[in-house]
Amino acid sequence: MVADHENEEDPTTPDSDSDERLRETLARERQSLLGLTRGMARLPLEQTAIALEASASIAGISLRASAEFLRAVPAAAQVLAPPELRSWGELGRRIAMSDVEAAIRFFGSGASELKGIPERSRAVVFQLCLRQLTLSASTATNTFKSLPALVESIDDAEMLLLVLEVAAEISRRSAKHSTDFLQAAPRVTNSLKQFSDESVSKGGLALASAFAARAGGIASDAWAALPDAVAGLNGQNALRLLTTTNDFLARGGGAALHVLQAGGEILRRFPQLFEDWVDLLWIVAEHGNASLVAFVRSTPRFIRGLSAEANRSQAGKVAPRVLALTKKIARLDGEAALSCFRSSGRVLRTVSIEQFEDWAERGLSDIRIEPRARRSYFALETRGSYEALHTGGQGLPLEAVQYLLKLYVEGLTGREVEVAPLTAVPAESRIGDGRTIHLPTFVNEFRDEDLDFRLYKVLAAHAAGQIEFGTYSQGTHELRAAFSAIAATYDPKTLDARDAFALDGYINVRDEGETVHSSPELAGHAAQLPTSGDYRNVLHLFPYSQLARRVFGTLENGRIDRRLRRQYRGLVRDLDLIREHLRNGRPRIIDLPANMAPFELLFQIALLGGALDDSREYYRQVVSELETIVAEYLLSPDATVADTLMATSRVYSLFQSITPANEALEQLETEEKQAETEDENMMASESLRSRREQTPERRDARELFNAWNAPNAEGEPDELAGAEAWSEGETPEQTLEAGEVAYNYDEWDRELTDHRLGWCRVIEKKVRRGERTFVEQTRERHKGVISSIRHQFQLMKPEDLTRVANELDGEDYDLNAVVDYVIDRRADGHQSERLYTKRLRRRRDVAVSFLLDQSSSTARTIGRHPLQPYTHPGRRIIEIEKEGLVLMSEALEAVGDVYSINGFTSEGRRNVKFYIVKDFDEKYTDEVRRRIGGITYQNNTRLGAAIRHATTRLTKQEARTRLLIVLSDGRPYDHDYGDARYAREDTREALTQAKALGITPFCITIDRESEAELRDLYGDIGYTIIDDVLSLPERLPGIYRRLTT
Amino acid sequence: MAERAIEEYRVAEEPYYLAVGSEVDLFEAAHSARLPVILKGPTGCGKTRFVEHMAWRLERPLITVACHEDLSATDLVGRFLLEGEETVWHDGPLTSAVRNGAICYLDEVVEARKDTVVIIHPLTDHRRRLPIEKRGTVLEAPPDFMLVVSYNPGYQSILKDLKQSTRQRFVAIDFDYPPPEMETEIVAREGGIDEGTARDLVLIGEKVRNLRGHGLEEGVSTRLLIYAAQLISLGIPPVTAADVAMCSPITDDRELQRSIREIVTTVI
């Protein structure tokens, strides 16, 4: 304690400024101290005692802090009760231990922050802050400072206490999280208070508390997630959610947090599913926390998938069954259930729920299936499970008729088309190619195969009709007229925004002050159809182009329908059948929401031959207008797509005038747009299509007709839902370069005894051109051998003719036979009439494909052979193989067989690189020689996939004898190619398939160790081992000759 | 090979032929100028009928040889045959035609071996002679003799092709399926059916021809359309007739057959 009372009120002025200041400071000091004592005197005794005690302990750390404390005590004592005063002092002392200035500031700001805090809470506050001090002084002081604000926003003493308690609890484990918690508190408590039922708030806090007790820091994450989780729920559901989450806390904070989030989603969209879902989760939880968490995390996607269904009520009925199914599977195998759950969204787009259940039952009942196989089954990875899904039930799968329909459409139109299912899981497909028609993966409308096929036929005929009757025509005279007319009809602003379409340049007419659409010619200047513009350009002119698109779709279908009927008498039967069926299935017009009704009417009039009676009854006026429009534009035999566009414009205006406000249409627009962006964002990493990109199966057959018109349907690459859905984070796919084409192939998994669909991706790549010198050097080196090879092979050419005797007819007499004949005649014996000789052609009809393993194992060098002094020491195997190819090419050129040289390497199943050094129909040019020179080694050997691709290419050749010669230095290997046995089995399967297609495989290898395996794969006479690698080049032509004679 | 009296080769009645372009005039001109003619076109589009028609028109006998792999020079020119105690020379069809100033028609000439085909070379240049090596004689062709060959450029395999030395001796007339209106008329007349049905058949034919190269080697020939028409005229239901005449014959591939059937039922 300082005692310096003498100069307290000395008014003597000092001589200099500094002195002045010093004296002032001291004066203040003294004053404060005086005030201190005075102030102290005013306090009740208890307070004083505590204060003195506290200041003593503070002084132990810092005198100044202690002084500050004393200064603040009187004011603080107004606010704080004695024990609080002590705590406050203690807090400050602790602060001082790390940061004196902070402590001084702390005391300096007084205890006013605590004013608003109810008494009961104060102890908690101190506890909290003390704990937070372990992190940093500033954290604690900030918390302290934020108290008033907190008090204000949480207007409820009880709640405040609870919040603080939870924060204190959390702070036991993590100061940071407790701060986060407090920061979020206002927002969260507000959202909880929205519920009229108080127990929600209480529940929320109880939950937070339980989280804090159980799981520490994660409590603040859960807390922050609360508002979103309970948003949009009613009180009862909110409570359910909270209780459930609490229950799952037993399984860990992480699990519970996900449950909170996903559960909220479910309750919002499909509350009736909640119970089932929770049950399911508990069953899954039996299999371990990892499964549980994985499950919960897949739930949002599942929900989204369901919500994307246009027919919500349908989705609502289907989902419980899916959950029930999953439960059943989950009792047996958690991972399988997860796979099933994940694929359910995708699957249900293509098959009915009954089929799905059937398929699942089958998967379950197959007892000999072991866990890994079962999981693959339910993930729909294998060919077997895929087939089981599609052929199991009723309905006609597209696969059965795909080729047929393709030919059909090609026949009708004369154009090459591809038919793709709406969800594609291909076995071999090009990525990013051609003109395709999309048809539903299965049709089950009639439950009769014949009739279902006729629906397919009608859909295909419609698609053909679009091609034949010019839906996609570009830049025609009529289109231009339509464009101009429609451009003129709509806002100049729209025209402005569509500047992009005026490719020919235009004069800005708007300066003249007139509206642009005062005359068609002026409009023509401002916006013109680009030279290759089509119907899509015109549709973009409409303000609500999505709406226009839908109208256009239906109208165009109507036009095509009419043209088809006129052109193809026979098809009328099928069209009528479908029309009848559709008519019978229409909903009642009054059951439809007001904004859907116009489309239904349009559909009926355009495609169903006229409005149904109830439609006509309720919407007489609209029906009659629509009928007039249709009659005017679409009935003429020469109606073109431009006419449809004009009709679209009329109908568009009509719809705008009859719907209550533009709101309904806007609603439609924004809904669609929202769904677009939502889905895009959330499904960025998935290969599932969002609703806008694809129109999946509907119970409403009408949608089948509109698949071609989906807004984002243009230029979409084919999807690989099967393979990619599985590969979450496996070997990453390398991007394709320009001009490269990739193909998908199955792979055989011996454990599953089934194929994995579309598992491997083979990329046809260009060979880097090397030096020509390699080939030249080789030829130089093997000069002698080459000339003898040439000679030998030329002898093998088909110009050879042999003489055959004893024929019934021929060019020449066989003298011996004639003599015999005469003698026999004289002797009256049996006379043979086979007196002639013929010359028969010996034909050669061979195509051969060489497949060279280019993996890094070929980089191995072979030592110098003592008997071959002209070879360099230490040549790589790949070099030797290349030499062999050069010699082989010489031989093949000499004999004239059709041949192709290919190499392959692989880097994981999605990056199998297939190099075409020489294609079948290429000539052996300089370019080819350079390519041979450029062959190099890298990566691994995924032999199965390479063989499959080589087989595919070879089958396209028409020769009678087709050979696939594999040049390998050893065993197949790749990093995700299983163990050695797996790789071998897959290779064997590929070879078997090749043989089934009429190709003879043959293996030439230098690996002596692999004899047994080779015999296994290729058969006794299907391989040859070259012991001395260096002799490979010279032996190769000899082997070939033996094979093909 | 038994010889038939040359008179039996005369074409008695006018064979129906609807000219598509100027082929009739061309042929007549070639005949006057003593030029050999090659008719190129797919099977069943009227080449043989055309030759018959022209033979009738020019009042010459017509000797037809269907060429094949095993056709030898001897088959064309003639051979000695043992008959009883003697060896008798028998003229082949080519020799017979030359001798009698007839029109000799080698149908599907690519099918024959190349060393057989070169026999005709001396007949096709300005010499117009046929050496008969076995007899050691040379036959001079009278002005009325004409050599006509046909072939289908459709399935070209490298092995079966006309050598340039052969090709360049001929004047070539291209044949193809007639344009729809004419084909309708032909089918209606030859098939004995009404024009409407004929038009349908022609439309089917057109669609199926689109599949050429997409799965079919060759489209439906006019001949097949006529067959179908004939069946229809005898009371066979159109769809069946189309199936039997236009679907099954051209392919064995099930999918292809089915898709053609669907096209048929689309049109009729």
Side-chain angles (χ1 to χ4, degrees), chain A residues 875-920:
Chain A
R875 296 181 61 229
R876 298 190 197 277
I877 294 178
I878 185 85
E879 301 295 316
I880 300 172
E881 283 176 332
K882 278 157 71 172
E883 266 183 38
L885 284 179
V886 171
L887 294 181
M888 205 55 239
S889 308
E890 295 291 331
L892 288 168
E893 288 295 317
V895 78
D897 287 346
V898 173
Y899 69 105
S900 159
I901 302 179
N902 314 286
F904 75 99
T905 69
S906 68
E907 239 185 312
R909 67 185 176 89
R910 303 298 295 165
N911 303 305
V912 179
K913 297 173 197 158
F914 194 91
Y915 297 95
I916 301 181
V917 178
K918 178 190 169 303
D919 206 343
F920 287 103

Side-chain angles (χ1 to χ4, degrees), chain A residues 903-950:
Chain A
F904 75 99
T905 69
S906 68
E907 239 185 312
R909 67 185 176 89
R910 303 298 295 165
N911 303 305
V912 179
K913 297 173 197 158
F914 194 91
Y915 297 95
I916 301 181
V917 178
K918 178 190 169 303
D919 206 343
F920 287 103
D921 48 14
E922 266 187 281
K923 298 255 181 289
Y924 185 54
T925 56
D926 222 36
E927 172 73 22
V928 173
R929 291 197 193 102
R930 278 183 201 257
R931 284 190 209 148
I932 294 181
I935 292 176
T936 179
Y937 59 86
Q938 59 176 357
N939 311 125
N940 307 319
T941 316
R942 201 182 198 95
L943 193 47
I947 290 179
R948 286 192 181 92
H949 191 62

Side-chain angles (χ1 to χ4, degrees), chain A residues 1-2 55-56 58-71 100 104:
Chain A
M1 281 246 297
V2 180
S55 80
I58 296 172
I61 299 176
S62 156
L63 286 176
R64 283 171 54 221
S66 178
E68 202 55 45
F69 171 70
L70 281 175
R71 236 171 261 136
V100 174
I104 291 175

Side-chain angles (χ1 to χ4, degrees), chain A residues 248 251 279-292:
Chain A
F248 274 98
R251 288 275 165 187
D279 281 340
L280 175 58
L281 287 182
W282 280 117
I283 298 175
V284 172
E286 301 287 313
H287 293 277
N289 256 15
S291 300
L292 174 62

Side-chain angles (χ1 to χ4, degrees), chain A residues 739-760:
Chain A
E740 286 177 358
V741 187
Y743 300 80
N744 279 330
Y745 286 97
D746 298 346
E747 187 165 278
W748 175 258
D749 184 328
R750 69 177 182 89
E751 283 176 13
L752 306 179
T753 55
D754 200 347
H755 287 89
R756 289 182 179 273
L757 291 175
W759 196 244
C760 301

Side-chain angles (χ1 to χ4, degrees), chain A residues 471-475 479 529-530 532-539 645:
Chain A
T471 305
Y472 301 100
S473 51
Q474 298 177 334
L479 268 179
L529 184 73
S532 61
D534 59 13
Y535 74 89
R536 284 174 279 218
N537 297 92
V538 181
L539 285 179
L645 287 165

Side-chain angles (χ1 to χ4, degrees), chain A residues 65 136 184 196 277 291 352 385 476 493 570-571 610-611 621 715 846 848 1002:
Chain A
S136 78
S196 50
W277 181 67
S291 300
S352 71
S385 82
T476 60
K493 286 202 203 77
L571 194 59
Q621 180 66 13
V846 179
V848 59
F1002 190 83

Side-chain angles (χ1 to χ4, degrees), chain A residues 757-770:
Chain A
L757 291 175
W759 196 244
C760 301
R761 186 175 73 137
V762 176
I763 310 168
E764 268 181 19
K765 286 179 104 75
K766 299 200 195 328
V767 182
R768 206 172 40 86
R769 281 160 108 228

